[in-house]
Structure formats: structure tokens, C-alpha cells
Amino acid sequence: MIKDDKRRAMLEKVLKEHDYQESALLEILHRAQEIYGYLDKELLMDISGSLNLPPSHVYGVVTFYSFFKLKKSGEHVVTGCLGTACYVNEVEQILEAIEQEFDLKRGGSTADGKLSLLLTRCIGACAMAPNIVVDYEVIGKATKELVIQKIKQALGGVKAETS
Amino acid sequence: MSTNTVKLKIDGVDVTAAEGTTILKAAKDVGIIIPTLCSLEGLTAYGGCRLCLVEVSGTPKLFPACTTPIGPGMDVTTQSDKLKEYRKIAVQLLLAERTHICSVCVADDHCELQAMANQLGVDHVMFERNWSREEIDSTHDFLVIDRNRCILCTRCIRVCDQIEGVHTLDLKLRGKDSQVIMDLDEKWGNSCSCTSCRKCAKVCPVGAIYVEGEPIEHTKKRDVAEFIVERRNRK
Amino acid sequence: MAQELEFQNAYKYRINVCCSSGCVPFGALKVLKAFEDAVKEFGVEKECKVARTGCIGTCSVGPAVLVEPGDYLYQSVTPERVREIVRDHIVLGLPVKDMLYERNAYFKKQHRLVLRNAGKIDPSRIQDYINMGGYGGLLKCLTDTPQAVINELIASGLRGRGGAGFPTGQKWSLVARAQNSPKYIVANLDEGDPGVFANRTLAEADPHAIIEGMLIAAYAIGAEKGYIYIRSEYPLAIQTLQKAIAQAKAMTLLGESILETPFKFDLELRFGAGAFVAGEETAILASVEGKRAMPRPRPPYPANSGLWQKPTLIQNVETLANIPLIIQNGGAWFAKTGTPKCTGTKCFSLTGKVNNPGLIEVPMGITLREVVFDVGGGVPDGKKFKAVLVGGPSGGCLPDTLLDIPIDYDSLVKVGAIMGSGGIVVLDEDSCMVDTARFFTEFCVDESCGKCTPCRAGLARLKDVFGKITNGAGEMSDITTLEKSSSFIRDGSLCGLGQTAPNPVITTLRYFKDEYIQHIVEKRCDAGKCFKSRGEEEIE
Amino acid sequence: MSTNAKVRVATVWLSGCSGCHMSFLDQDERLVDLAKKITLVYSPLVDVKEFPENVDVTLIEGAVANEEQLAMLKKVRGRTKILVSLGDCAVTGNVTALRNSWRHSDQAVLERAYKDPADLNAAVPTAVPKLLIKARPLHEIVKVDFYIPGCPPHADLINYVLTELLAGRAPVMEGRSKYG
């Protein structure tokens, strides 16, 4: 995917902005993920070469932080919040229901790659717990029924509204 | 090195050492050996294994001897019931964390973890063991890594970076999932930066990294880092 | 500036629409648009200002709208009902009663210093901040010596709000005295605790308070460069801060020769990437340097050897937001709030089984009971209160009998809890304390950096033991294993994460041991949380 | 312990290679002294079918790998005052537990042993006791009083522990025992 010149040019701009400084690794990884969607090994090798950092160091940093993705995720992404407030308000039951309904496991995607179920430690909307994010829409005070309906809508091609 | 010296007490013994010396080193100089696993002379201190925790009077906190510099008037205790208990728990945790089976291990009798368990009287492990099952990587011509025996002391990573200077090795992931990797988590045989210098195998305290077909007592030359640093300083 | 003030005062009404992360997902931006339209429709745009503000605090009933004067707070505002509010309240002067938030209970015991401007100013306008007296602290301190600024801080008794409660003035003195240069400031906005959102709210509602605090700190300790380390999961806070930094630069409040004095200070944002441990003092430094956020042993302390081995001041943003007030009003004034050993206020994210969840700010020394039952309005649905978790995932679970302790660093530590980053989660009778301890242990297992044995290997074994107990295979000896390993993890871990991680285990064992015994001996969980299979892996 | 009556000692062999028992016998001439003080009431070395009641000291070699051994261990614990884990298999699981790293190893090892090598009528015999999901060290199942690690433990160490126990003292393992 590196070969894609347009995106590589964008990455080069980012690298230049940061003056190819080692200490900007996190910022550059953030931007690279924005540009490419995820960070594959070819891209990491490229970044490691550009910043003159050992590949194992770059890989170590990428895998240390849970925000960085090494693989492409599903077309639609449901994110369950595992924050304390959501946990106390039974988010677990909703996650189980999603897993059953769409036959996938948390952290994974459906067989057709249409839907991924990810977890996050807190989206910060604790007062509205439990929260589930369907694509870009935060569903507060979520219930099983509501969430499943929203996911079905998203999968059915009706794009979830971005707020 | 500062010429200022510091006076302190370690296990009741009066000690004088240069300012900036660690408790570990100051104790060793007067013949008091504090148990360690991740520390190795010639490499930077890591402070990870927590075997070398000591007590300093006046505070309930425990201090890692390998990274804590001595202070004037310090009164250090390196052996107490509490420390003994904690060291035994630390060794048990390491034994339970991955698959450590001495009788089938290449490093049997040349293993620092095994020796530590014996020395501290860890005659059983109170935790249920986590039977890890990491694939053994023997793709390199002669170096082998069995991550099931790794205790994450990072000596190999430090020697690779600080002494050999290539930084082939590092850690991936975090917490209990941490693993020693080569380059972008490649198989060792495919690593483009590894110089096959074997220092990682030499300093590995356990049987996680070894040289295939070589008698273990030949491989485990753990003073290699100290030796090289000394030789370099001589120039 | 005077002109701007006049311009603002020309309005008879001001409608503040909360557009923070708590309210936006529930339609706050549409409500804002509806207000702008309605004000035009009724032709009152000259006398009524519609402002986009930060968090008002009542996050459970968003979108929230505050109408000034009179501080009328509307809850759960929908675009459909906006016309009604403008027509009745603004045009006719009659507040729409059925939509008003019953505010007495929630706000009465709160004391807003840090959140002084939250919900009242438009965070995207530096003028709004200045109108409230903002940057006055900086102006004042620039006419003083750095030492005088530090003295004022020492007099205020302010302690770090990041969790440990180290006296701020003392910390500044240490960095100021350090010989090496350049010196750095790192503002910690890596609020990784699940269930905590106070710092994010502050950044979204009043970004300049953080920047001004950093500027004053920079002046006092002699730093020229600062970083705000912020979670990348906080896009709105990032945007708000970026805008605020640009505005401050434009007004020569940042950069070379600030306000035409020789003082210079540059500020950059650094983004976290999903690692709770990065909030730890030495881990945050590693992360700002672009490395794995692994803590390192202290000494050396960051005050002497921090970022790139240079003297570095690390301060939580809530601490920083207090600074301008202290400089403007004096340390002695600040010390009047709170308790003698613990001055000022503290922001808490109050969540869980409580009637009024939200972001609150209360004076130090207030009791937990007041927070849970007066501010929080108690437990909903007539359920019984069971415990309150204070201090985030590595806080302590405290029972009803301890609710009368005052909230301050030392009292909390005494009972096994911590101030932490200010998370208070209320648990009712439907919560199982064993399962709660398991949940937090699992969180810490996931977030442990893996460097030291007790935290990495110890927490993982605790998790195993919890798996055993909650699957019905528990034995009484497991309690001993939990106790022994918890104390080793607490005393033997390298950093604050490991040292506090066993708190939920230790406190639930201390205050709710019966529940453990019930799970082990009777294989019974009254809350119905345990003994459900959790997938094949853990049954094994 | 009474002075006239001999101490009732038993040894049990669970999932292990019998190496620990060999090491026990390696006490050589010290066994003669030992025999003056103890009666071996149950052991693979003596011909007693049923584990007796009121045993003072039982040394168990081997891990607990199947249901028969599980039942045996519980019975032994119920009838013994002092239970000693003898050797690494009893103390850690050791080689017996190597299979624990694999899922469904209880089935897989049986198939490897009985099905894979068979040319005809490949089947796991029904007489084989059901394997536990994991092979376990003794103390994960019952309370164990003392441990003698080693693969096998040295005869001197076994002798030391027995001597101490017979003298009514708790053996000190610090610096004495040796895994592997």
C-alpha cells in the first residue's frame, strides 16, 4: 500500500513537518494511521527507515498502545465501552447480545468482514452509561434492542448519521 | 565519577562508597550479595524483577537496590522476613507465569531463576501455573528462542542495543502479553539487523535464548557485557 | 478589549448551549443551531446571545442549556422545544418550568473554582476567557519575581490533583532550583481511567485556564517549552486546545517575548494512544519522547532529570487550572477553601448507580456521604446503597460505614482508597463485590506495562484466582493467595499503577469478606453476576 | 511421635517415572537405620493392595493426571497426618504437565498413545482412567505439608527430610532443595 504515491506524499509531508525526529514517532504513527487506515509492516518499515529508528523499536511502540491497528477493521465498527460506569450499568449484557446476534467475537469481525466489534476502555460519556458506538454515533443509555436495531440499520446500507 | 563519598550502613555494616553508587554495588563491595535477576553489570539498570528490593529505615517503602543510589546516613536492610517472603513470591510468580520445567530445560543447572528458587527455598508455587504455549523460533542458523522460558528481564534487549549496538531485539505488546521480538516481529532467521553475535544467549539468565548444539556452560558467559565495557574503557 | 466587553454586556440574555463530549452525541449541535434560528425568527438576536460552551456538569440529562441571567438550567433539550424556550423565556420572560433541571440538590454543595468558567464561556473565544478575568494571573505574575510566585503557591497549600497529592509549590521549587537547562513542563491530560472525564471536560470548557496555568508555571520555574499530553480519544478537547493555543499565540500570550516582556514559552500538544499507564509520571515522559510508555524507577526524579534528561515539571491539568486563581487572589485566599492540610476543591466524575451522575467540583473535606447522597441524589430506583469506589480502577471500594470520612488525600489512603484522578462510582445492591474486584483487576492486567514482576505476573495470577472463585472452583486458601500477592504487588511494584492496582482487591477483602466466603463455600452470588460460564478458556 | 511404636510411613506412585522411588532407595545403607524407626505400610515397593488408615507420613511421587489418581490422592490425604510431595512431578507437574500447554490434551495424548500407532482397530481402550483436563501438582488439589523438589530429588535430601520429620522438626528447604 506504500506504493500509493498520493498517500506516501502525505506521509512524507508529515515526516518533514516533524523534521524526521525520533521523538515524533507517536505523532507520525497517529497521522500515518489517519492516512492509511491502519499500520502494516511495510509502512512501519518505511517509517522506521525515515526516522532512522530500529524496526523492533517502532514495532514495540505500535503494539504497546492499543489505539494503533495493524490490521484493517470491518466496514462497520461497533465499539463497546468497557469503562467503569458502563460496566456497572451492564454493558456486558449488550455485548453478549451483539456477539450472538451477529455471530462474531469481541475484538474480531464477522466472516464477511462487514462488521467489527471492538472494545474501548472509556469514551468519557460515563453519565450516559452504558454507551455503545455504532460507526460514529454514540448510543447512550443503550439497550440491547436499540443497539441491535442501529447495527442492522448500518449494515442495511442506511449510513449512520455522523454527529 | 564524583570523588565525594557517602557513609551509610548496610545490614549493620558501615560502608563508605562514592556518591551515586547504587545500593546493590555498595553492598557487593562489602561482600553483601543482594539477589537479582534483571540486573547485569555492564548494562543499564532496569529495575524490573524486584528481587533486589531492600528496606531503608525511616520509610515503609521498599527500594530496588539496583537503581537506588546510596544516601548519607542511610540504614539499609537487605534481609528481613518481609523481604524474604516477597522475594519468594516474586520467584513463584515468574515460575508460574510461563512454562518453566527444569528437568527438560536446556539451562538446567545453569539457570539463574532455578538457582534463585533453590537458594530462597521456594519449594513449591502457590499459584496455578499459566501453561504458556509460544512457538519456539529456531529459524536462525544456531540461535534459538523459546519464549515459554522468558522472564522478560530484557537483558538480551539491553545487550543487543547497548553493547552490540544493533537493537535487533525489543519488546512487543505490553503487560503479560509482552514478548521479545526481532525487528518487526520477524522470525529470527529472517532478521535483517541481527549480527548473530550470541551476546543475547550469553546473558540470558534462563534457557529462553540458547545456542543450538553448544554445551550450555559454554554459552552462558554472563559477564560478557561487563568484560566488553571494561575493555572499551581501557582505550 | 473594553469594546469587546461592552459588546458582550449589550446582551440582555445569554443562552449557553453545552457542546461538550457528553452532550454532542445526544444532539447538542442541533440544539445550538435551533437556538440560533429561533433567536433570529423572534428577532431577538440583538438582545440575546447564543453561545457554544463547555460542560455545565449535568451530563446525564444532556443536552443541557444554561440561560443567563438567573442561571436557568434546561435539561434534555430537543431542537423541537427550542422555539418554546426562546418564545417564553427570552421574549416573554417566563422560564419553561417543565424543562428546568431541579438544581438545588446538585449544585448546592458544589464549589466551582477549577470549573469557574465551564458552561459560562465560549471556549473557542479567548475574549470570553479574558472577560472573566482570564490571563490576569499571568499579567500579575509577570510583574513579580519567580520566587514570589512560588511563595504564593506554597502559601496556597495546593497539592497535585493527578492523584498522589504532592505539594505543588514544593515541586516547583525543586524544578526551579535544578541547574540543568532547558526546562520543560508537561501537562497531563491523559485521563485513562475508565469512568473519569473531569480533565477532558475542563479542556473542552476552559482551555485557556490550562494554558495560563502552564504559563505561570513556566515563568516560575524558568521553562521555555511545554507539552500538553492528551488522549487521542478526546477529539473535541484536542480541537478546543488547538484553537486556544493558536489564539494565545496570536495575542502574544505564547511564543517569543510574551506580552512584550523577555519571557518566552512555546506550547505543543502530544497525543496519547490508549495506554492507561502513560498517565504515570515517568511513563508520560517516555511517551512524549515517542517511546513505549514504560515507567522507570525514581530517583532520578523528573524535577532533575525528566524529558531528555532535563528538569521537567509534570502537572495534571486540574492543578494547572487552579494556578491563575491563586496568583490573582493570593495563596491565603485559596487556602480558605477546603481543609488546612488539603486546600481548594476537587473535581470528580460521579457515575454508577446514582441519581445525578455528572461532573462535580466540591471543596476538599466534604464527606463521601454528602457527595453520594446530597450532590449525587442517592441511589435510584429505591435500591440500597452498597459501596462507593473512590479513585478509579485502582481505587478502594468503601462501604456505608466509611461514608462519613472527609475527602482528602490522607483520609482516603487511610481507608484503602485513593484520590486518583477523581472517579467516584456508586454501586448498589445489584453489584457483586467479588465481581467488581475481578473487573478492576482485569483492567489493570490489560493496562500493566509489563516491566515489573509484581504488576505484570502478579495481577495476572490475581485474575486467575478471581476466575476460579467466580466460576465456582474457589477454595478458602485462595483468599490467602489473594491477600499475600496483593500486598506484594502494592509494596513491590515499580510505579503507581502497580502499587495501587490491588486496592479494589484489598478493600473488598477488608470490607466485604463475607461475599468472598459466600462465593467460595456456598458457591452463591446474591447479585447474580458470577458462576456464569465466561467462555471455554476460563473454565479449563 | 511415640517412642516404642514405629512410625507408619507410606509411599505412593502417581503420574511419574518412578525415578523418585529409585532415589528413595538410593538412601542405601541409611535405609537400614530408617527401617528401625519406620514401618512401610503401603508402597509400590511392598505388597499391600489397599491404602491403610492412620498413616503418619506419606511421600507421593508424581502428578495427578487422571480420575483414578485424583480419587487416590484424596483418600491418601484423608488417611495421612503428614503429606509430602516427592519430586518435581508432585511439586510442579513437571514432565507430566507438559501437555497442559495444549488445549484438549487429555484427549490428544490418549489418541497419540493408542490410536496413532495402531494399524488396525485404532481405539482408546475403555479401561484407561479418564484423564483430567490438566495434570496437576498435588497441592492444587489437597493440602500438602512438605515439598521435596527435584527430578529426581537427591537421596540425601529425601533422607534429610525424613530424618527431620522423624525427629519432630520441620525441614528447612532454603538452599537445600533443587528443582530439575
Side-chain angles (χ1 to χ4, degrees), chain D residues 2-13:
Chain D
S2 138
T3 40
N4 10 2
K6 281 187 174 181
V7 177
R8 292 164 58 80
V9 174
T11 74
V12 175
W13 179 15

Side-chain angles (χ1 to χ4, degrees), chain B residues 48 50 86 97 171 173-175, chain C residues 292 448-449 452 456 491-492:
Chain B
R50 315 309 275 177
Y86 280 176
E97 189 177 24
L171 286 176
L173 298 170
R174 67 179 182 222
Chain C
R292 291 163 64 86
S448 165
C449 83
C452 72
R456 179 191 72 236
D491 298 344

Side-chain angles (χ1 to χ4, degrees), chain C residues 336-357:
Chain C
K336 277 192 271 186
T337 307
T339 68
K341 283 178 95 179
C342 212
T343 56
T345 60
K346 177 81 188 89
C347 297
F348 287 102
S349 312
L350 180 61
T351 57
K353 299 297 175 84
V354 61
N355 273 314
N356 311 325

Side-chain angles (χ1 to χ4, degrees), chain B residues 57-68:
Chain B
S57 69
T59 157
K61 269 178 65 181
L62 303 179
F63 296 84
C66 67
T67 61
T68 310

Side-chain angles (χ1 to χ4, degrees), chain C residues 94-399:
Chain C
L94 302 166
V96 188
K97 285 219 175 90
D98 73 302
M99 289 178 75
L100 283 177
Y101 183 73
E102 185 42 71
R103 39 184 306 133
N104 282 344
Y106 187 70
F107 284 103
K108 205 169 155 195
K109 292 206 166 162
Q110 292 201 45
H111 187 76
R112 299 203 149 202
L113 295 180
V114 172
L115 300 171
R116 55 195 177 273
N117 296 327
K120 301 214 159 163
I121 65 166
D122 181 344
S124 67
R125 290 167 50 88
I126 192 169
Q127 288 85 357
D128 273 27
Y129 180 67
I130 293 169
N131 288 342
M132 305 296 272
Y135 287 109
L138 175 68
L139 273 172
K140 192 169 171 211
C141 95
L142 286 177
T143 62
D144 242 330
T145 62
Q147 189 54 49
V149 174
I150 293 176
N151 289 346
E152 208 56 65
L153 214 59
I154 291 172
S156 77
L158 178 68
R159 294 167 70 171
R161 300 296 191 238
F166 193 82
T168 309
Q170 205 180 322
K171 201 169 182 175
W172 288 22
S173 307
L174 288 172
V175 188
R177 276 207 303 267
Q179 292 301 317
N180 221 332
S181 70
K183 292 175 184 176
Y184 297 99
I185 300 183
V186 176
N188 188 348
L189 218 164
D190 184 56
E191 204 170 33
D193 293 30
V196 176
F197 47 92
N199 292 347
R200 183 202 66 200
T201 305
L202 175 63
E204 286 176 4
D206 200 9
H208 289 287
I210 298 172
I211 298 173
E212 189 183 356
M214 284 183 89
L215 278 162
I216 295 169
Y219 178 76
I221 63 166
E224 291 179 5
K225 175 97 197 184
Y227 296 92
I228 300 179
Y229 185 87
I230 182 167
R231 289 185 74 188
S232 49
E233 290 91 333
Y234 286 174
L236 185 56
I238 291 172
Q239 253 177 40
T240 313
L241 277 167
Q242 277 168 338
K243 207 169 201 176
I245 290 172
Q247 289 170 344
K249 277 188 181 152
M251 294 186 71
T252 72
L253 288 161
L254 278 175
E256 303 285 324
S257 53
I258 289 169
L259 297 174
E260 287 154 22
T261 66
F263 174 48
K264 58 178 177 179
F265 184 67
D266 192 26
L267 188 53
E268 252 183 71
L269 292 186
R270 284 283 157 123
F271 307 113
F276 176 61
V277 68
E280 196 272 344
E281 189 170 74
T282 55
I284 199 173
L285 297 176
S287 198
V288 170
E289 291 177 9
K291 299 176 187 154
R292 291 163 64 86
M294 307 269 265
R296 61 160 179 77
R298 290 167 298 185
Y301 290 93
N304 289 308
S305 176
L307 273 183
W308 298 288
Q309 282 86 53
K310 302 295 183 192
T312 304
L313 175 73
I314 303 157
Q315 209 86 77
N316 177 273
V317 291
E318 186 182 335
T319 318
L320 289 167
N322 275 302
I323 309 288
L325 286 181
I326 293 171
I327 300 305
Q328 270 190 318
N329 304 308
W333 167 84
F334 184 83
K336 277 192 271 186
T337 307
T339 68
K341 283 178 95 179
C342 212
T343 56
T345 60
K346 177 81 188 89
C347 297
F348 287 102
S349 312
L350 180 61
T351 57
K353 299 297 175 84
V354 61
N355 273 314
N356 311 325
L359 178 65
I360 63 168
E361 184 178 350
V362 287
M364 292 281 191
I366 191 173
T367 66
L368 275 169
R369 193 178 298 283
E370 286 173 283
V371 168
V372 174
F373 288 95
D374 297 344
V375 181
V379 179
D381 307 326
K383 294 272 169 90
K384 245 175 73 190
F385 169 90
K386 185 163 195 177
V388 57
L389 179 93
V390 187
S394 45
C397 287
L398 309 179

Side-chain angles (χ1 to χ4, degrees), chain C residues 6-27:
Chain C
E6 210 171 283
F7 168 71
Q8 294 261 335
N9 289 341
Y11 292 112
K12 194 171 156 207
Y13 287 103
R14 188 178 157 99
I15 300 175
N16 297 318
V17 182
C18 170
C19 292
S20 70
S21 295
C23 285
V24 167
F26 306 103

